[in-house]
Amino acid sequence: MAEDCIFCRIVAGDIPGRTVTETDHALAFLDANPLAPGHTLVIPKEHYSRLNDVPGDEAAELFGAVHELAATVEEAVDADAVSIGINDGEAAGQEVPHTHVHLVPRFEGDGGGPFHAINPDSEQPSDAELDDIADAIREA
Ligand code: 5GP
Ligand code: ZN
C-alpha cells in the first residue's frame, strides 16, 4: 500500500468505494466523478503506478475482470457500447498514480468521441516512418 494513494485506501477499506466486483488481485468500483452512469474503474489491489509495473499474472487477472465487466456494465446501465481505456502516465492524463482501467458506458448520440478524438489533427506518418516505428517497437 502506498501512503496517500486514494485507490490504496479504497482497497484497504479506509475510504468508501462502491465496489462492484473483486478477485484476489483486482478490484472494480464506481468512479466518483463518472463520465456516464456506470463509469467503472478496475485496478490491481497492489499499488503500481503504470501498467508496465504490474506483473504479468496480476495484469492477466486485471484484464480478465475488464473482459467480464465490459458486457456486464453495459447491460446493467442499458448502454449501447463501452469505451475502455487507460491514461497510462501523466502526459496521457493520468491523475491518480495507481494504474486503473476506465470502463465508460456509451450511449447512441451521447456526444462523446472515439479514441481518435484524442488528437484528431495529428500528422500522418509516411510509409517509411511507419516502418521505422514498427521496427523500433519490435526491437524493444
Ligand atoms: P485518471 O485521470 O487518473 O485516469 O482517472 C482518475 C479517475 O479517478 C477519475 O475518473 C476520477 O473521477 C476518479 N477518482 C478520483 N478520486 C476518486 C475517489 O476518491 N473515489 C473514486 N471512486 N474515484 C475517484
Ligand atoms: Zn495505490
Side-chain angles (χ1 to χ4, degrees), residues 11 23-27 42-66 98-99 101:
V11 172
T23 66
D24 286 349
H25 298 101
L27 182 73
V42 190
I43 67 170
K45 287 183 176 175
E46 285 291 323
H47 182 90
Y48 302 109
S49 296
R50 299 285 302 272
L51 180 62
N52 188 244
D53 299 328
V54 183
D57 53 344
E58 291 176 47
E61 202 171 306
L62 180 76
F63 283 100
V66 171
H98 181 137
T99 194
V101 183

Side-chain angles (χ1 to χ4, degrees), residues 20-95:
V20 295
T21 191
E22 67 181 304
T23 66
D24 286 349
H25 298 101
L27 182 73
F29 55 93
L30 293 188
D31 194 293
N33 302 292
L35 296 173
H39 183 169
T40 299
L41 301 174
V42 190
I43 67 170
K45 287 183 176 175
E46 285 291 323
H47 182 90
Y48 302 109
S49 296
R50 299 285 302 272
L51 180 62
N52 188 244
D53 299 328
V54 183
D57 53 344
E58 291 176 47
E61 202 171 306
L62 180 76
F63 283 100
V66 171
H67 175 251
E68 196 174 308
L69 281 163
T72 313
V73 170
E74 181 178 315
E75 189 184 328
V77 298
D78 205 17
D80 302 305
V82 193
S83 290
I84 299 169
I86 302 175
N87 295 321
D88 191 26
E90 258 183 59
Q94 183 176 6
E95 289 184 356

Side-chain angles (χ1 to χ4, degrees), residues 35-36 80 83 104-115 117:
L35 296 173
D80 302 305
S83 290
V104 182
R106 301 296 303 272
F107 300 85
E108 292 292 348
D110 65 12
F115 284 111

